[in-house]
Amino acid sequence: MEETCELCKRSPLKTTEHHLIPREFGGVEGPTAWLCGACHRQIHALFTNAELAAFYHTLERLADHPDMIKYLCWVKKQDPEKRITTRKSNRKKR
Ligand SMILES: [Zn+2]
Ligand SMILES: [Zn+2]
């Protein structure tokens, strides 16, 4: 299905459903956003589910994080047809 990503606003592209509050934190019935694969992967590379549940559970807050601002600025110039490989975030290394 051809859609518009709610975060980077690119279209048309395939979107996937993101639970703004992760399911393991009770977000099963909670609000969701439709995001392209690149944005979706970026969010989960940058934030842990605990961080998403505690603070980053709105698109406004996600888009306001300094790393997301940089990412969005870059991704908006990318062709929606092209598959984007997400760079691994240092924060998630254990
Ligand atoms: Zn996107
Ligand atoms: Zn998600």
Side-chain angles (χ1 to χ4, degrees):
M1 209 163 46
E2 303 287 287
E3 305 273 354
T4 303
C5 173
E6 290 186 47
L7 201 55
C8 65
K9 314 288 189 196
R10 290 184 304 154
S11 86
L13 36 64
K14 282 200 183 71
T15 57
T16 53
E17 191 173 25
H18 169 65
H19 285 257
L20 288 163
I21 297 170
R23 275 161 293 196
E24 64 181 280
F25 288 88
V28 180
E29 306 285 321
T32 58
W34 291 90
L35 306 177
C36 69
C39 288
H40 206 167
R41 282 196 304 274
Q42 179 66 27
I43 287 172
H44 287 288
L46 201 56
F47 305 103
T48 64
N49 280 347
E51 288 171 325
L52 291 171
F55 186 75
Y56 292 100
H57 48 70
T58 70
L59 287 176
E60 290 71 27
R61 287 179 179 185
L62 288 168
D64 217 31
H65 186 282
D67 285 356
M68 288 304 290
I69 293 170
K70 264 186 268 168
Y71 159 79
L72 286 169
C73 186
W74 170 79
V75 83
K76 280 174 185 166
K77 291 178 260 170
Q78 309 304 309
D79 185 346
E81 308 279 309
K82 210 177 72 184
R83 194 173 188 278
I84 292 168
T85 42
T86 309
R87 283 160 297 172
K88 287 271 186 313
S89 159
N90 293 329
R91 300 183 60 216
K92 237 193 160 176
K93 279 193 194 127
R94 281 165 203 177

